[in-house]
Amino acid sequence: MDSKERFSSRVDAYVKYRPSYPEEAISYLYGSVGFRPGMEIADIGAGTGIFSKLLLAHGSRVIAVEPNEAMRQAAEKALGSDPNFRAIPGAAEATGLPNDSVDHIVCAQAFHWFDRAAARMEFRRIVKPGGKVVLIWNSRMLQGTPFLEEYEQLLLRYGTDYEKLRHKKYFAGSACFLLQTR
């Protein structure tokens, strides 16, 4: 299935069950990375707006770039009344944003779906000089209790493309990556 369409039937489950991100991650962005209130931040692969909501709460202006219409509509429904939020159709490889238009870029739980070479070129094009690209994941423990270990085995055994697509295949261990663009 096309990765940009595979979540259309899962929107309600994402809205209801998808976890948010720890405050420590947001504090790191605003305390150490250089995010500031009022900055324009592109949330690429924004989905239903879970991470966008956290950026808005810290006073940032957010452009949620999301290729899946159903996911984007859920983000607009949840966050559209905030004047600092806008959602646009687009993909990591072709955001539709102007050159040098955003202060920073975040990709929360999404980077493993992107064509990395094309996304990198696009990110360099849209981020202002000195801007950063931050890749974030909520990592799930895979070991430590029988439930965690058996759940992982269940996903490996019955997930149609779990092993191929899980983000740990691309980045093992860490939950946050910071990339300089220029």
Side-chain angles (χ1 to χ4, degrees):
M1 179 182 282
D2 175 8
S3 64
K4 291 175 175 63
E5 294 302 319
R6 74 182 289 138
F7 296 99
S8 295
S9 64
R10 302 173 186 176
V11 173
D12 292 338
Y14 265 69
V15 170
K16 191 171 182 181
Y17 300 113
R18 190 74 171 193
S20 189
Y21 297 85
E23 180 56 38
E24 292 83 1
I26 303 303
S27 294
Y28 176 73
L29 295 178
Y30 286 87
S32 299
V33 173
F35 283 35
R36 302 281 179 261
M39 285 186 160
E40 191 90 46
I41 300 173
D43 184 357
I44 310 291
T48 61
I50 295 169
F51 204 82
S52 294
K53 181 178 180 179
L54 300 173
L55 297 168
L56 291 166
H58 282 79
S60 293
R61 296 187 325 267
V62 178
I63 304 168
V65 179
E66 173 55 47
N68 182 286
E69 184 178 355
M71 297 290 264
R72 193 174 57 256
Q73 286 177 351
E76 289 171 333
K77 181 178 178 184
L79 305 171
S81 64
D82 189 317
N84 289 321
F85 176 81
R86 70 181 167 115
I88 62 170
E93 304 82 3
T95 62
L97 295 171
N99 293 348
D100 299 323
S101 60
V102 297
D103 295 297
H104 300 295
I105 296 170
V106 296
C107 307
Q109 299 295 123
F111 188 77
H112 59 287
W113 294 109
F114 304 163
D115 174 322
R116 288 181 280 169
R120 182 180 175 141
M121 288 176 45
E122 179 70 353
F123 293 175
R124 284 184 175 203
R125 186 185 69 74
I126 67 171
V127 75
K128 294 175 184 175
K132 300 194 177 61
V133 177
V134 180
L135 312 178
I136 299 173
W137 282 274
N138 273 327
S139 293
R140 178 175 49 82
M141 291 176 49
L142 306 178
Q143 300 174 348
T145 69
F147 174 80
L148 293 173
E149 293 164 13
E150 290 175 29
Y151 181 64
E152 180 67 8
Q153 290 306 308
L154 178 88
L155 292 174
L156 288 167
R157 189 174 308 119
Y158 296 105
T160 56
D161 53 7
Y162 173 71
E163 182 63 30
K164 178 181 169 192
L165 297 174
R166 67 184 178 162
H167 67 268
K168 287 190 184 277
K169 176 181 174 187
Y170 297 96
F171 302 103
S174 296
C176 182
F177 300 89
L178 185 62
L179 307 174
Q180 274 304 129
T181 55
R182 297 181 193 176

